[in-house]
Amino acid sequence: MKKLLLPLFIIFLSQLTSSGQSTITNSVREYRRANEHHLLNEFVQLLSIPNVASDTINIRKNAEYLLAEMQKRGLKPRLLEANVKKVPPVVYGEWNTPGATKTITFYAHYDGQPTDPAAWTGSKPWVPVLRSNALEKGGKTIPFPKAGEKIDPEWRIYARSASDDKAGVFAILTAFDALIAKGIKPTVNIKFFFEGEEEAGSSNLREIITKHKELLKADAFIVCDGPVHQSGRKQVVFGVRGVTGVDITVYGANRSLHSGHYGNWSPNPALTLARLLSSMKDDKGNITVKGWADDVEPLGPVELRAIKDAPQYDEEIKRQLGISNTEGGGRSLLELINLPSLNIAGIKSGDVGELARNVIPSTANVVMDLRLVKGNDHNRQVEKLKKHIESQGFYVIDRDPTEAERLKHPFIARFLHRTGGYNAQRTKMDLPISLAVINAVQLTSDQPIVRMPTLGGSLPLSIISESLNQLTITIPIANYDNNQHAENENIRIQNLWDGIEIFASLMTMRFD
């Protein structure tokens, strides 16, 4: 009889927890519905402040804006500064819950990627506009609604960092507002950690964290960044890729040459670079750099099962993106996200369009980003790439060649490792904190959520984990087609509303 009663009691307890959490979600939803116009105006105000990390004046305005907003909320905010001047500060705040036994740090970043305003369609990066749908679906620019006018959750806000990652900052702070307004007590002590240099490589994050190690003690970092699954389902992600970058330049003649006088005789660096790049992958898109994936830490059975259980969406994504083939030897997107990648981010030699001239360029340049998974080391991965270039017959240096070197070596490559790289990070999916997070997010969704071992993008979670010895878990909220890092970045309003409910649930999660 006891054996029968115990499972029934567990089910009953689970139902009580679910019922209580549903009440919290409903209360948060009521708060949001009653304040939608005000919330939208606040979000637009935040998006209107330019936020490229290298723009020291405006990035400081972002930090000061958040500092003031957190002061209003009684979060005891302060700026955590690096030793180097003009580095974007971390905006930190905290809220202690009497009786709480766990402390959770909620992370998002307020800086955004650089962008070319001329590349945006009918809008400017830091002048937010509202559209009736995605541009690709014929969305039209519409005025922001006045008080009392209905807000359609399918509308989209177009602006730099609308999704990556001011949506995260906004969702975290608004979730806290909703709980306090509704008299709902968080179950954890809350620390707020808003970084201002993530898109610039988090070069000073380790120093800032180390300086404030005692202040930042917590049981886990929960990170808001990235898109939900392509199916639209909410997801919990337990790891992120690491990232680093290289800048490669190859050389032809020491000046551009007339293509009629010297074509077919003087080496063309654009062609030389194209041949070098093509040597890095085979015809199926598999990376051929020696040892590229040798040190990858294999996924365990729980992670492999999660990938198998996730919606398989490759054919739909191909249709939406207008592509008929993919790289990776026929493996799925979810499989390939868990392997290190090698990407051409930008390439240049000579001019095109109206500036095109009949010349043989003197140089060709490529910027490559390397995405890493658990087990890779970003310095070691760069060294593998460098050795591959040397194996192709190139004399590799870290500066422009001298005239003597030009005359001695037929193939020369300037190889520069870009600053700001970091490794991948992954948390086990079956830890108590992992299960609590999964449960909290699931309670906000009518559909089964997606659990992913690794997010395709990169975040400095290895820096956080190594510096503080803390677990990290990522909760994306943005629509998957948000154009992050590109022109026309956007956020679907329902995703913004969902984010508020998700983070309120996380602030009140149970650890039973």
Side-chain angles (χ1 to χ4, degrees):
M1 186 66 176
K2 286 183 179 179
K3 289 183 178 179
L4 178 62
L5 288 174
L6 183 57
L8 289 173
F9 174 74
I10 292 173
I11 292 170
F12 175 68
L13 186 62
S14 174
Q15 288 174 340
L16 282 177
T17 303
S18 177
S19 175
Q21 202 71 25
S22 296
T23 301
I24 292 172
T25 299
N26 288 336
S27 295
V28 170
R29 192 170 298 168
E30 287 173 4
Y31 170 84
R32 184 262 298 169
R33 284 174 174 165
N35 294 278
E36 282 185 348
H37 292 80
H38 171 70
L39 294 175
L40 219 53
N41 289 337
E42 278 198 338
F43 188 49
V44 167
Q45 190 174 351
L46 176 60
L47 293 176
S48 300
I49 312 173
N51 63 332
V52 178
S54 59
D55 181 356
T56 55
I57 294 175
N58 279 313
I59 201 69
R60 181 64 58 162
K61 287 180 180 178
N62 280 270
E64 290 170 351
Y65 176 88
L66 291 175
L67 189 73
E69 288 298 306
M70 292 165 73
Q71 283 171 340
K72 291 179 190 176
R73 293 165 167 84
L75 300 177
K76 303 180 229 177
R78 54 191 285 196
L79 300 181
L80 308 185
E81 306 273 8
N83 290 330
V84 179
K85 291 181 179 180
K86 296 185 178 181
V87 168
V90 167
V91 186
Y92 171 86
E94 59 185 41
W95 180 271
N96 292 320
T97 303
T101 59
K102 301 285 186 184
T103 299
I104 303 296
T105 301
F106 290 93
Y107 168 106
H109 63 87
Y110 61 87
D111 68 315
Q113 281 274 332
T115 187
D116 177 7
W120 288 60
T121 304
S123 65
K124 296 179 181 178
W126 293 284
V127 182
V129 300
L130 187 64
R131 290 197 167 100
S132 56
N133 207 325
L135 275 170
E136 296 78 9
K137 295 179 180 179
K140 304 297 183 183
T141 301
I142 57 178
F144 281 94
K146 297 176 182 178
E149 293 179 347
K150 183 181 177 181
I151 294 176
D152 188 331
E154 293 300 320
W155 290 347
R156 299 197 182 202
I157 301 172
Y158 277 73
R160 177 49 99 221
S161 294
S163 60
D164 185 19
D165 186 31
K166 286 183 175 180
V169 175
F170 175 81
I172 291 169
L173 288 176
T174 307
F176 175 80
D177 290 344
L179 294 177
I180 299 305
K182 287 293 185 177
I184 300 170
K185 180 181 175 183
T187 58
V188 295
N189 297 316
I190 300 171
K191 295 186 177 182
F192 302 84
F193 189 99
F194 300 137
E195 189 191 354
E197 202 183 16
E198 193 276 336
E199 298 292 9
S202 299
S203 303
N204 296 279
L205 181 60
R206 190 182 299 272
E207 177 209 316
I208 291 174
I209 289 176
T210 302
K211 280 175 65 176
H212 302 282
K213 202 167 184 176
E214 287 300 311
L215 179 70
L216 298 173
K217 279 185 177 179
D219 293 283
F221 258 70
I222 293 183
V223 176
C224 185
D225 201 348
V228 299
H229 188 265
Q230 287 88 347
S231 64
R233 292 193 199 178
K234 298 172 184 177
Q235 67 176 345
V236 178
V237 182
F238 293 87
V240 292
R241 282 167 153 178
V243 67
T244 192
V246 297
D247 192 316
I248 304 167
T249 302
V250 300
Y251 298 84
N254 57 16
R255 58 185 173 86
S256 296
L257 299 173
H258 189 288
S259 62
H261 296 322
Y262 294 98
N264 291 344
W265 182 81
S266 180
N268 188 309
L271 186 58
T272 301
L273 180 59
R275 287 171 175 158
L276 173 62
L277 294 174
S278 68
S279 75
M280 297 177 186
K281 288 191 176 184
D282 64 21
D283 292 342
K284 294 182 179 179
N286 298 305
I287 298 170
T288 56
V289 176
K290 186 176 180 180
W292 195 249
D294 285 357
D295 45 12
V296 169
E297 185 178 303
L299 297 174
V302 176
E303 288 81 11
L304 292 172
R305 183 70 200 182
I307 291 174
K308 186 177 180 181
D309 289 345
Q312 303 303 309
Y313 221 63
D314 285 37
E315 292 306 314
E316 174 61 19
I317 300 170
K318 286 163 64 176
R319 186 190 67 78
Q320 292 182 16
L321 297 179
I323 55 177
S324 60
N325 67 311
T326 58
E327 295 188 341
R331 286 168 290 187
S332 72
L333 174 61
L334 297 185
E335 291 177 289
L336 292 170
I337 280 173
N338 289 279
L339 292 173
S341 67
L342 182 62
N343 176 60
I344 298 171
I347 189 168
K348 186 179 188 304
S349 186
D351 295 297
V352 297
E354 293 181 358
L355 295 176
R357 295 164 292 154
N358 296 329
V359 297
I360 303 171
S362 61
T363 61
N365 175 253
V366 64
V367 174
M368 307 189 77
D369 68 75
L370 290 57
R371 301 286 173 162
L372 321 171
V373 296
K374 188 72 171 175
N376 296 140
D377 175 79
H378 69 284
N379 291 312
R380 189 166 62 238
Q381 207 75 348
V382 168
E383 191 61 28
K384 292 176 190 176
L385 183 59
K386 181 180 177 183
K387 286 181 179 179
H388 175 84
I389 296 171
E390 290 173 337
S391 76
Q392 300 301 305
F394 282 80
Y395 174 61
V396 180
I397 53 179
D398 61 359
R399 50 175 172 74
D400 286 327
T402 64
E403 285 302 313
E405 287 170 326
R406 282 177 174 274
L407 295 172
K408 182 178 179 181
H409 301 282
F411 302 108
I412 300 174
R414 185 184 69 180
F415 185 92
L416 301 177
H417 184 183
R418 298 186 139 215
T419 59
Y422 47 78
N423 293 335
Q425 170 64 15
R426 193 168 70 230
T427 295
K428 291 183 178 179
M429 300 174 73
D430 53 359
L431 297 175
I433 182 69
S434 302
L435 298 176
V437 168
I438 290 170
N439 186 55
V441 177
Q442 182 61 70
L443 290 170
T444 69
S445 177
D446 294 331
Q447 293 182 303
I449 65 167
V450 178
R451 296 164 293 118
M452 285 301 299
T454 298
L455 187 71
S458 299
L459 285 163
L461 303 194
S462 64
I463 296 175
I464 294 168
S465 180
E466 292 163 6
S467 302
L468 293 172
N469 192 29
Q470 288 183 20
L471 302 173
T472 61
I473 299 174
T474 302
I475 312 296
I477 65 170
N479 40 292
Y480 77 91
D481 57 347
N482 66 78
N483 292 343
Q484 66 187 102
H485 290 199
E487 63 275 5
N488 302 324
E489 182 178 352
N490 66 88
I491 187 77
R492 175 175 167 262
I493 289 179
Q494 185 59 53
N495 284 75
L496 198 61
W497 299 158
D498 288 345
I500 297 167
E501 293 177 9
I502 289 171
F503 278 88
S505 188
L506 290 165
M507 291 175 184
T508 53
M509 63 181 163
R510 304 289 175 180
F511 297 88
D512 303 326

